[in-house]
Amino acid sequence: LIRRVGSDPLSDMVWTDADDPFGFTSSCHEISCLHNQGSSFRSHLPVGIDGTNQGLGVMGMLMRDEAIGREANILDSDSPNDPYRSVALNTRKLLYEDSSNPYSKRWLDFGIDRKCTKRSTMTLSYGSTLFSCREYTAEWFYEQLKSGRENPFGDETYRPCYYLAGKVWESIRSVVGSALVLMEWLREVARMCIDHDVIPRWSTPQGFPVKMRYEKQARYAVKTLVNGVMLNHRINIPNGEANKRKTVNAIVANLIHSYDGLGGILGLSLNKASEHGIRSVFAVHDEVDVHASDVPTFGRCVRDATAEIFEVDQLEKFATMISVLLPIGVDVPPLPKYGTMDVNDVRNSKYYWS
């Protein structure tokens, strides 16, 4: 089957049923060429490696939190960890302990898996809240019902989902609670900046300047005559006044991405890879694709880059950069309490970026 699809994919369209049709077809083509050419074949297929939950991992390293370090595979373990699965297991535990609630047993019978908790956990680094957790939980449940599963609550949907989301959020707080502490600290910093008419600014570990400016929008009416018909439009234009709500909501995601992307881990990893002669690279968010022969080397580059960046107290550096912007006499909130994780241990982690 693999050789048939690889040599002539249009003759057998079975590849269209694969989870990743074009990726599957490309792999079949490579394997087919290998069989045909033997040892003279040179592979051109990119192989992707990525983090378990890179945003959550960055938050854990900023906080030196061992619990997140284990969940995000920053610390070495005999088998890969999965934070979404851990949150799902803990949610089931909470439901079991709350047996007096009429929704509890029916949710346990319905089944709580990692798909239920993935989105709420994954978006922590984007600044998600209990409100968004409720939204994501309801969306997951509606998808289950659309797939043909029976609603165990009859015609009810809102109250059962509201109840379950509370358990999911409680579970997230239990499994990766320091991430929530960091989120609230960053939001308080953002509020303080806007309250004192300061635009949050900082530099990434690679030296890129970040200026986080969100403005309120003013609505303007525009009238346009088209073929004798008067059309009325309204457009939003920034009015120069800082938008406190957007600034507070965006600070977490912007800071995490500034440490994670070209300004941080990705940028330093690419520099190190270039020093080792790796030239063919492309990246999509927290996934990097290189040739199969370069995977071990690039994996080492990522681990070394991560350790070099986060062995420095980046959160303290960020706080210092913000404090110099604030008026005299106004101090940044005290740094949150750190854990005891040694970030250098990431150098020996088998499943960090795998």
Side-chain angles (χ1 to χ4, degrees):
L1 170 65
I2 291 173
R3 296 184 65 178
R4 187 167 67 248
V5 171
S7 59
D8 187 7
L10 296 182
S11 66
D12 191 337
M13 302 295 286
V14 67
W15 56 271
T16 60
D17 295 327
D19 287 340
D20 181 359
F22 292 106
F24 175 73
T25 306
S26 297
S27 300
C28 289
H29 176 71
E30 290 265 318
I31 296 172
S32 178
C33 290
L34 173 64
H35 279 280
N36 294 335
Q37 298 181 30
S39 59
S40 64
F41 172 70
R42 295 185 64 185
S43 172
H44 294 84
L45 189 69
V47 177
I49 57 175
D50 64 2
T52 302
N53 181 321
Q54 195 64 5
L56 183 62
V58 169
M59 297 176 86
M61 288 184 285
L62 288 171
M63 293 289 288
R64 301 289 195 268
D65 186 86
E66 289 190 345
I68 296 180
R70 287 190 296 271
E71 294 295 340
N73 293 307
I74 296 164
L75 300 178
D76 191 34
S77 59
D78 294 332
S79 59
N81 291 302
D82 179 357
Y84 314 132
R85 179 176 178 273
S86 296
V87 172
L89 289 173
N90 198 62
T91 300
R92 295 206 292 266
K93 175 177 177 289
L94 294 175
L95 289 171
Y96 179 79
E97 292 172 349
D98 193 23
S99 58
S100 61
N101 190 289
Y103 295 132
S104 176
K105 185 178 188 305
R106 279 182 279 182
W107 273 125
L108 287 170
D109 293 339
F110 188 81
I112 305 300
D113 57 15
R114 70 189 300 274
K115 289 183 179 180
C116 170
T117 60
K118 180 177 180 178
R119 199 171 175 192
S120 297
T121 308
M122 179 177 63
T123 54
L124 273 179
S125 54
Y126 306 143
S128 64
T129 61
L130 174 58
F131 180 83
S132 56
C133 180
R134 291 168 182 161
E135 179 182 344
Y136 299 148
T137 302
E139 289 178 359
W140 164 79
F141 185 52
Y142 294 144
E143 288 174 2
Q144 299 296 308
L145 298 182
K146 285 181 181 178
S147 68
R149 299 191 64 183
E150 183 179 351
N151 186 349
F153 308 101
D155 294 331
E156 270 195 300
T157 57
Y158 177 78
R159 291 176 62 186
C161 289
Y162 189 96
Y163 167 77
L164 177 60
K167 295 301 181 184
V168 171
W169 192 250
E170 184 180 347
S171 180
I172 290 173
R173 185 177 293 277
S174 174
V175 175
V176 291
S178 70
L180 300 178
V181 173
L182 175 61
M183 284 169 52
E184 188 49 46
W185 182 83
L186 289 172
R187 287 172 172 159
E188 185 58 34
V189 170
R191 293 187 194 100
M192 179 174 289
C193 287
I194 300 304
D195 288 343
H196 291 88
D197 199 25
V198 169
I199 301 173
R201 302 169 187 254
W202 66 91
S203 295
T204 73
Q206 290 292 92
F208 287 101
V210 180
K211 177 183 177 182
M212 203 178 81
R213 176 68 171 176
Y214 292 95
E215 296 181 9
K216 293 182 179 179
Q217 305 284 309
R219 301 191 71 187
Y220 292 88
V222 178
K223 295 182 179 181
T224 306
L225 189 65
V226 179
N227 292 330
V229 179
M230 183 64 71
L231 301 178
N232 294 304
H233 301 278
R234 289 191 177 275
I235 60 174
N236 293 326
I237 298 177
N239 66 2
E241 184 180 352
N243 189 317
K244 184 175 182 178
R245 180 182 60 82
K246 284 191 175 181
T247 302
V248 171
N249 289 341
I251 182 70
V252 178
N254 288 340
L255 183 73
I256 298 306
H257 286 315
S258 73
Y259 291 139
D260 187 30
L262 283 173
I265 296 174
L266 179 58
L268 185 55
S269 299
L270 292 176
N271 289 344
K272 289 181 175 294
S274 179
E275 293 172 359
H276 285 83
I278 299 177
R279 296 289 182 267
S280 298
V281 181
F282 73 79
V284 181
H285 195 51
D286 64 342
E287 176 185 317
V288 175
D289 291 58
V290 295
H291 291 307
S293 58
D294 291 331
V295 169
T297 302
F298 192 85
R300 174 52 54 193
C301 292
V302 173
R303 288 161 173 77
D304 289 343
T306 301
E308 286 183 23
I309 289 174
F310 288 100
E311 65 185 0
V312 177
D313 190 341
Q314 295 293 344
L315 202 57
E316 183 180 45
K317 287 183 63 177
F318 170 77
T320 300
M321 287 184 278
I322 294 294
S323 65
V324 299
L325 303 174
L326 295 170
I328 295 175
V330 178
D331 297 322
V332 172
L335 289 169
K337 184 179 179 181
Y338 292 174
T340 58
M341 179 174 66
D342 184 353
V343 179
N344 278 292
D345 289 347
V346 72
R347 299 179 192 269
N348 300 315
S349 175
K350 293 187 290 292
Y351 300 107
Y352 178 71
W353 276 66
S354 59

